[in-house]
Amino acid sequence: MTKKQLEESVAYLKNKGFDQPEIGIVLGTGLGQLVNEIQNSIEAHYNHIPFFPLATVEFHSGKLIYGTLEGKKVVVMQGRFHLYEGYDFLDVTYPIRAMRELGIQKLFISNAAGAINLDFRKGDIMLIEDHINLQGGSPLAFRNVAQFGERFVDMSAPYDKEMCERLVAIARREGISMKQGVYASVIGPQLETKAEYRMLKIIGADAVGMSTIPEVIVANHLRLPVVAVSVLTDECDPDNLQPVNIEEIIEVAGKTEPKMIRLFKELIKEI
Ligand code: HPA
């Protein structure tokens, strides 16, 4: 990754009409309905944007969508890049850097995740308060990182306190029960064993998924305030573990998404 590549990606998007978006939004697996609410939208497929990684997984249509939502200019990633597709840490975080270069001032992230905390249920939303990176690498571990910012990025408070507090208040006001907890990320794509779910609980995770943390690390590198929510799609009870059903995970994500959309839209209005 070079500055010049980022500039070329952004020049392409600006030329398409992606004009000074304020907020970037990443939509996770099974979470795509938000894009139907965007007005005056313009789309750019990932595989048309210079230097973007190529989109693969069938669940993701893989595009950036620009437009207005609640009167603010937004850019939405419909589908993201995952390590489990064979991308590296620089690939999966490239779009975050591109959106920042386009001008975003805030980042909202969503994902589908398994519930480790058994007080949580599938269909719940969890605000990510903190995280545990189990992906065995970092999006900042590259040679010319200093050209892009600090190397030893502080992670004492990776999620923006003000946006988190606002989201908690919005959930309360809107009557949406939103949990709060720690998200752990694994590489995947295989799901976890019973022993791994037990371990995740012991080390303090409330939810587990295969994304988000590299993006959050890069947002912190870019001093970009970030807020993230998990849509809990399955319950990871090691003593009563059912075989995974990816269709069900996607279905639960889709059914739960309207709550997430309401939270995000209200947050956009307030910031
Ligand atoms: N593990 C990892 N990733 C996931 C899960 C899970 O149980 N559910 C949804 N994404």
Side-chain angles (χ1 to χ4, degrees):
M1 181 184 59
T2 64
K3 283 239 147 113
K4 196 150 186 311
Q5 289 174 342
L6 269 173
E7 281 162 16
E8 275 192 49
S9 303
V10 167
Y12 172 88
L13 293 167
K14 283 191 173 155
N15 191 41
K16 281 209 112 187
F18 284 54
D19 175 38
Q20 289 284 322
E22 276 179 72
I23 299 162
I25 304 175
V26 183
L27 297 178
T29 301
L31 304 168
Q33 301 161 64
L34 177 73
V35 301
N36 302 330
E37 317 234 351
I38 299 169
Q39 286 159 342
N40 304 318
S41 60
I42 310 171
E43 294 183 359
H45 284 266
Y46 294 155
N47 43 9
H48 295 160
I49 308 171
F51 301 107
F52 254 55
L54 288 179
T56 57
V57 165
E58 62 203 78
F59 316 125
H60 302 312
S61 28
K63 54 193 176 193
L64 271 188
I65 299 154
Y66 169 86
T68 44
L69 190 58
E70 298 297 345
K72 300 223 167 83
K73 294 183 204 166
V74 299
V75 56
V76 179
M77 285 179 69
Q78 185 170 27
R80 57 150 64 84
F81 301 97
H82 296 93
L83 296 170
Y84 65 70
E85 295 166 280
Y87 299 109
D88 66 25
F89 281 97
L90 287 184
D91 292 330
V92 303
T93 52
Y94 189 88
I96 306 297
R97 293 188 183 277
M99 290 193 292
R100 180 56 151 169
E101 190 80 17
L102 259 181
I104 63 166
Q105 301 297 316
K106 301 271 188 314
L107 180 64
F108 297 4
I109 299 183
S110 63
N111 61 49
I116 299 292
N117 183 332
L118 296 177
D119 294 334
F120 300 174
R121 293 275 166 260
K122 62 178 155 188
D124 279 346
I125 304 239
M126 185 188 92
L127 175 67
I128 301 181
E129 287 184 315
D130 205 347
H131 71 224
I132 302 173
N133 178 11
L134 297 175
Q135 293 185 316
S138 165
L140 305 183
F142 63 98
R143 208 168 284 230
N144 57 341
V145 67
Q147 290 173 9
F148 293 87
E150 219 178 318
R151 186 183 296 272
F152 300 103
V153 173
D154 174 55
M155 292 295 276
S156 59
Y159 298 88
D160 183 69
K161 187 163 175 276
E162 193 203 324
M163 285 200 290
C164 287
E165 284 173 359
R166 279 190 189 275
L167 213 56
V168 169
I170 289 165
R172 197 168 298 143
R173 188 179 76 215
E174 298 286 312
I176 296 171
S177 124
M178 183 175 71
K179 314 296 186 199
Q180 298 180 49
V182 173
Y183 173 88
S185 67
V186 294
I187 296 182
Q190 75 286 353
L191 278 289
E192 288 69 40
T193 63
K194 293 178 204 137
E196 287 166 339
Y197 283 135
R198 268 187 209 107
M199 174 198 75
L200 288 164
K201 192 183 175 99
I202 290 166
I203 65 174
D206 295 294
V208 58
M210 303 175 190
S211 67
T212 300
I213 291 181
E215 296 150 345
V216 170
I217 293 171
V218 164
N220 278 266
H221 193 223
L222 297 168
R223 298 184 187 276
L224 171 62
V226 58
V227 68
V229 298
S230 289
V231 169
L232 303 179
T233 54
D234 53 309
E235 292 161 16
C236 309
D237 178 359
D239 299 318
N240 180 30
L241 192 60
Q242 308 301 315
V244 67
N245 180 337
I246 190 75
E247 285 78 25
E248 199 198 347
I249 285 179
I250 291 169
E251 189 190 322
V252 175
K255 279 198 185 142
T256 311
E257 189 185 358
K259 285 196 277 190
M260 183 201 90
I261 293 176
R262 245 165 66 218
L263 292 171
F264 277 7
K265 281 172 72 171
E266 291 301 312
L267 186 58
I268 290 173
K269 274 194 219 164
E270 289 189 13
I271 59 176

